[in-house]
Amino acid sequence: MKRIAIRYRTRPESADENQRLIEEVFRELTEKAPSGVKYAALRLDESVFLHLLAVEDGVDDSVASLHAFGAFRNGILNRCLEEPAQAVVQVIGDFEMFSK
């Protein structure tokens, strides 16, 4: 399974709009319910966001193909004070946080 974390800071005046766009992504994910994909987005403080994505081996990253995700990515650099930083992550421990 491929796991990725993406962290960034938005401009304070763009944080609520950024959250609204993320919420649209989750609405579309709920409608389409792609298999093999796990995704979480967290707002750490007023304008810092963290996205966690896990995609099973052999499964396309269907999040990137969502219409709402395209709308979210459009203008992301204009909303950000810090560009999104992406890293492949290794799970060290998980006590019922992200597993079902």
Side-chain angles (χ1 to χ4, degrees), residues 29-89:
L29 274 171
T30 300
E31 289 172 12
K32 297 193 174 172
S35 62
V37 175
K38 295 181 181 186
Y39 184 38
L42 306 132
R43 190 167 176 176
L44 304 182
D45 65 21
E46 190 56 34
S47 61
V48 176
F49 292 84
L50 177 65
H51 297 247
L52 303 170
L53 175 66
V55 180
E56 289 180 11
D57 295 334
V59 173
D60 290 333
D61 177 4
S62 54
V63 174
S65 66
L66 296 174
H67 175 74
F69 190 75
F72 164 75
R73 288 188 63 186
N74 187 28
I76 184 72
L77 296 181
N78 293 328
R79 292 191 306 274
C80 285
L81 286 173
E82 296 173 8
E83 288 189 30
Q86 178 175 313
V88 174
V89 298

Side-chain angles (χ1 to χ4, degrees), residues 6-44:
I6 303 162
R7 182 190 180 281
Y8 56 95
R9 179 182 302 275
T10 64
R11 299 176 188 287
E13 64 274 12
S14 299
D16 289 340
E17 174 66 5
N18 195 70
Q19 180 172 327
R20 184 192 69 74
L21 291 164
I22 294 167
E23 289 167 350
E24 290 296 322
V25 171
F26 281 93
R27 275 192 266 292
E28 189 172 348
L29 274 171
T30 300
E31 289 172 12
K32 297 193 174 172
S35 62
V37 175
K38 295 181 181 186
Y39 184 38
L42 306 132
R43 190 167 176 176
L44 304 182

